[in-house]
């Protein structure tokens, strides 16, 4: 059985850079913020809950990094714009944006309310547009990189996930459009699409209880991914190693999407 990678070494690969991470207070977004900070970037964390942001910022500071927090709802353009400006004011520049903020829950399309559907589209898709739009003028000053975290639901038909699937597919299309429009400014735009990632809020919501073990057996690589493995993909895209990559989606899913809807049919009971 393959083992997971967990070693994170500090380096100055991103020294002098500034990054902004939405959903940076917890889970995958917090992992990415810690990784970018460990590679030398100053990081700004956005999310609604100040306590979560502070916990992550404190961990980054304790490890020798620099982090600022902005309690912000990504659905509120004016608030996002203010947080982006606050980041540039604090760090003098903005080079990297990671959109990890999202909302999700299991819900059958037949009973999902219009507001439930709209809420997820609003957080994931509109929130990602808001952040990209507010950040662009700052990224374009010296070239930069945007990575949005999508999910395999963007491509694979998935029961009880029509809201999240539509939102993530929208982000992947938005990414290709922005990548084309902004290429001449040196701003690259990509997405990372994780499959099931262990020890996250997303996993606990989408594979509750006993499902966690049975679903794991259906993953071709026979295990869940780790937050570190998502960080590796983001690091590739934002670092010089990814300098010629724009408008693409990097799947980090242990092969799950190769099986189409199969692994998810259990969700339907
Ligand atoms: P998570 O810890 O719940 O991360 C989501 C973050 O988004 C939270 O910190 C949350 O903080 C923030 N957020 C939610 N609504 C927001 C809003 N309106 N404005 C600002 N921030 C908001 O869950 P996760 O599992 O790590 O997910 C992170 C990302 O990975 C998401 O984009 C998710 O779709 C994606 N993903 C996860 C998995 C997985 O297996 N976990 C798989 C595929 C894709 P507040 O509630 O404090 O605002
Ligand atoms: N099933 C069906 N509908 C649901 C639901 C569920 N489990 N949870 C919320 N909704 C509906 C609500 O009923 C409401 O619709 P209504 O007005 O027609 O009743 C709508 O969604 C908005 O709910 P609300 O609680 O007001 O939204 P919010 O903006 O406070 O929170 C959520 C957004 C619902 C996505 C919330 O789960 C959240 O904050 N999630 C962030 C963390 C997360 O999801 N992490 C995993 C990422 S993969």
């Amino acid at each position: 059985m393959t083992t997971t990678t967990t070693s994170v070494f500090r380096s100055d690969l991103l020294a002098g850079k500034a990054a902004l991470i939405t959903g940076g207070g917890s889970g995958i977004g917090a992992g990415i913020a810690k990784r970018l900070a460990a590679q030398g970037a100053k990081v700004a964390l956005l999310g609604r809950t100040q306590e979560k942001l502070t916990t992550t910022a404190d961990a980054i500071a304790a490890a020798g990094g620099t982090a600022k927090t902005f309690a912000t709802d990504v659905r509120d353009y004016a608030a996002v714009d203010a947080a982006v400006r606050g980041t540039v004011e604090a760090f003098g520049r903005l080079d990297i944006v990671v959109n990890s903020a999202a909302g999700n829950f299991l819900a059958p399309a037949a009973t999902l309310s219009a507001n439930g559907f709209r809420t997820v589209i609003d957080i994931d898709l509109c929130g990602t547009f808001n952040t990209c739009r507010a950040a662009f003028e700052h990224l374009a000053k010296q070239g930069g990189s945007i990575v949005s975290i999508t999910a395999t639901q963007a491509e694979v038909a998935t029961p009880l996930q029509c809201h999240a699937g539509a939102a993530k597919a929208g982000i992947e299309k938005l990414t290709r459009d922005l990548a084309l429009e902004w290429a001449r400014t040196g701003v690259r735009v990509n997405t990372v699409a994780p499959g099931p990632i262990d020890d996250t809020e997303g996993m606990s919501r989408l594979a509750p209880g006993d499902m966690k073990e049975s679903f794991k057996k259906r993953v071709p690589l026979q295990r869940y991914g780790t937050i570190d493995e998502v960080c590796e993909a983001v690091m590739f895209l934002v670092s010089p190693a990814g300098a010629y990559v724009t408008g693409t989606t990097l799947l980090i899913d242990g092969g799950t999407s190769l099986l189409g809807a199969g692994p998810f049919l259990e969700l339907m009971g």
Side-chain angles (χ1 to χ4, degrees), residues 169-187:
I171 295 172
E172 293 191 356
K173 177 61 166 65
L174 173 70
T175 292
R176 292 194 294 277
D177 291 337
L178 298 184
L180 186 58
E181 273 195 43
W182 293 350
R184 289 181 189 197
T185 68
V187 175

Side-chain angles (χ1 to χ4, degrees), residues 27-70:
I28 291 171
I32 292 166
K34 289 174 186 169
R35 173 62 64 90
L36 298 182
Q39 312 293 165
K42 293 177 177 165
V43 297
L45 314 177
L46 272 64
R48 292 169 301 175
T49 316
Q50 183 61 51
E51 196 184 349
K52 291 200 281 189
L53 299 174
T54 302
T55 302
T56 304
D58 287 350
I60 288 169
T66 303
K68 275 193 77 68
T69 64
F70 296 91

Side-chain angles (χ1 to χ4, degrees), residues 22-30 32 46-50 52-53 71-76 80 99-104 119 122-124 127 148-153 164 168 171 192-206 225 227 230 252:
T22 73
S26 66
I28 291 171
I32 292 166
L46 272 64
R48 292 169 301 175
T49 316
Q50 183 61 51
K52 291 200 281 189
L53 299 174
T72 308
D73 190 320
V74 293
R75 292 170 283 193
D76 177 349
V80 171
N99 293 296
S100 189
N104 200 2
T119 296
D122 220 3
I123 299 171
D124 295 24
S148 300
I149 309 300
T150 58
T152 52
Q153 291 95 310
K168 297 298 196 182
I171 295 172
V192 166
I197 304 301
D198 212 0
D199 295 324
T200 60
E201 180 65 24
M203 268 298 291
S204 64
R205 286 179 181 228
L206 302 188
I227 291 177
V230 180
I252 307 292

